[in-house]
Amino acid sequence: MNGPSPCPGAVEVELPTGTLQLRVTDSAFAPDSLLGFAARDNAKRGFLFLSKVLGKHWPVTPQRMAEIHEHLAAGMPELPGPVVFISMAETGIGLGQGMFEAWQRAHPEQPALFLHTTRYRVGREPLIEFEEAHSHAPRQFLHWPADPAQRALFAGMRSLVLVDDEASTGNTFLNLLNACRQVQPTLEHLHLAVITNFMGEEGAASLAGRCAVPMTLGACLHGSYRFTPGMVASGAAPAQRFDADAERGASAAFGRRGLTGPLRLPPAFVAGLAAGIGIGQKVLVVGTGEFMHAAYVLGAGLARGGVEVAVQSTTRSPIRRWGAVAHALDFADNYGEGIPNFLYNVHPGQYDHVFICHETPPGAALFELAALLKARLFHFMSEALIEEIPVR
């Protein structure tokens, strides 16, 4: 990896897009095990804290992902219910759902709801919109739950838990909080959960003041940063072409319209895949875009059977091959927006088996990705209905 690894104290990293100065003040895990650095052709933000435990841009064992979920859930204070968890598209979706499930295991009697934000419309219900200003795809949407009981939980929430991979300014959290206040203006508590918090003490205090609601913050690592941008000649294609009337194949079954329990896959499905994996063979389970958590659940099920497995997801985020990004594959967008998609730090032939989990109907983009990785495709229509799509 180019540049120094993060460690307690001050670090300065020269990226192709500028200079990043980082200070780690506290970390529950070895900082180098949590993140590396990457460069982006993005005039708004030319760097990336690339997580090694998220399962997005770096292959991660499901055991390690579960450790992070449990740590963040255990760091939450006691909260008045109903508690609503919202995780941020696309990077934080799997983290938030895993953390929600870990918290539920410890609080089985507490009324709670999980939602994730999205860049796609599902159904014709009104959307709550907010902005992730530094993103390549800044428009974010939140759907109302479809089920009446879940709608009541959402409208009656007393505590809100917002989950993302990292916090740098807190502005996106504030934008989403203000959007949620349209639903529940008398919210009693806000808890933020991130893997890495780089707001610094002053930034966190400022955010708490701007939120104007009692706020707590949980993270695996705390610190601060300063980035001095260099010359960025961005040739990156747009990463968002939202069309409110377009059908993108995004599912309503896995978190966009609300969940009150964990995702469970049919045991026979997991066992059937495990039976075809030889001793010592390596497996990669790939999620696609916003559809991340099913890949983790499948990976965790295989790992419990003794399989050597890693989990990762495709992304719309364009990142340079530099630093923590050693390999990059690009291919078409399976949601049909015409936006390039990527898979980082994976190269063809690296794994003996690759299983791609997708919510969208099969199409040319998925067949292209399957051919690149010599992978099998699995279309998740619901928890119980998973269809393997022939690729040859």
Side-chain angles (χ1 to χ4, degrees):
M1 167 176 146
N2 295 329
S5 299
C7 60
V11 173
E12 184 171 293
V13 186
E14 289 294 335
L15 291 85
T17 52
T19 302
L20 179 65
Q21 295 171 304
L22 180 74
R23 184 171 185 83
V24 175
T25 55
D26 180 61
S27 186
F29 304 90
D32 187 52
S33 73
L34 293 177
L35 79 155
F37 305 112
R40 308 196 306 174
D41 288 321
N42 182 341
K44 297 178 182 178
R45 192 178 189 189
F47 67 95
L48 182 72
F49 298 119
L50 191 140
S51 174
K52 296 180 179 180
V53 296
L54 184 66
K56 190 63 176 176
H57 307 111
W58 189 283
V60 187
T61 67
Q63 298 95 322
R64 180 62 165 152
M65 294 172 72
E67 185 179 16
I68 299 301
H69 300 162
E70 295 283 353
H71 179 82
L72 291 176
M76 289 175 53
E78 291 297 320
L79 297 174
V83 181
V84 173
F85 286 70
I86 302 177
S87 61
M88 307 290 287
E90 66 179 23
T91 308
I93 290 174
L95 174 68
Q97 198 161 356
M99 180 185 166
F100 167 72
E101 293 179 1
W103 180 86
Q104 268 202 325
R105 288 191 292 271
H107 301 81
E109 304 303 320
Q110 185 89 326
L113 175 73
F114 170 79
L115 291 160
H116 72 74
T117 68
T118 181
R119 294 185 172 98
Y120 308 112
R121 175 183 283 279
V122 176
R124 307 309 306 171
E125 295 294 326
L127 296 170
I128 299 170
E129 181 173 356
F130 66 102
E131 186 174 89
E132 184 183 11
H134 66 254
S135 172
H136 257 62
R139 295 183 71 186
Q140 291 245 28
F141 307 97
L142 188 67
H143 289 84
W144 272 84
D147 177 79
Q150 294 180 3
R151 289 174 73 92
L153 285 174
F154 186 46
M157 62 180 150
R158 296 172 64 195
S159 301
L160 178 63
V161 180
L162 301 183
V163 187
D164 206 356
D165 61 319
E166 58 106 348
S168 52
T169 65
N171 290 335
T172 302
F173 286 131
L174 182 61
N175 291 344
L176 180 53
L177 169 64
N178 289 335
C180 288
R181 278 202 173 107
Q182 300 173 32
V183 176
Q184 172 53 289
T186 59
L187 189 71
E188 296 178 29
H189 194 97
L190 171 68
H191 181 76
L192 306 182
V194 295
I195 297 172
T196 51
N197 164 36
F198 286 117
M199 291 190 292
E201 290 185 9
E202 290 185 7
S206 172
L207 177 63
R210 289 186 292 157
C211 286
V213 64
M215 185 194 95
T216 49
L217 171 64
C220 298
L221 179 151
H222 296 271
S224 59
Y225 81 95
R226 177 180 296 174
F227 182 69
T228 305
M231 296 296 292
V232 179
S234 176
Q240 188 168 29
R241 295 193 181 102
F242 179 73
D243 180 350
D245 297 319
E247 174 53 58
R248 299 298 181 193
S251 174
F254 295 97
R256 291 184 182 90
R257 300 300 302 271
L259 294 171
T260 53
L263 174 63
R264 304 185 191 278
L265 303 183
F269 168 67
V270 179
L273 291 181
I277 300 167
I279 296 174
Q281 290 189 323
K282 295 182 178 181
V283 177
L284 178 68
V285 184
V286 179
T288 43
E290 292 184 1
F291 190 64
M292 298 173 60
H293 190 60
Y296 161 74
V297 175
L298 175 55
L302 293 172
R304 284 192 293 271
V307 174
E308 184 178 349
V309 58
V311 176
Q312 201 173 339
S313 177
T314 65
T315 177
R316 67 169 75 202
S317 179
I319 309 173
R320 287 194 182 193
R321 286 186 60 181
W322 179 90
V325 174
H327 302 279
L329 297 173
D330 63 275
F331 40 88
D333 160 35
N334 63 296
Y335 290 90
E337 288 184 290
I339 292 168
N341 273 211
F342 308 92
L343 185 65
Y344 296 111
N345 292 311
V346 172
H347 57 80
Q350 184 176 349
Y351 295 90
D352 299 292
H353 300 272
V354 179
F355 305 140
I356 299 173
C357 305
H358 57 97
E359 61 177 339
T360 57
L366 287 167
F367 291 124
E368 176 190 0
L369 179 57
L372 275 174
L373 297 173
K374 294 183 171 55
R376 296 165 66 182
L377 295 174
F378 294 94
H379 184 194
F380 285 67
M381 290 167 276
S382 70
E383 288 187 9
L385 184 56
I386 304 166
E387 179 185 10
E388 181 167 6
I389 306 300
V391 296
R392 295 180 181 85

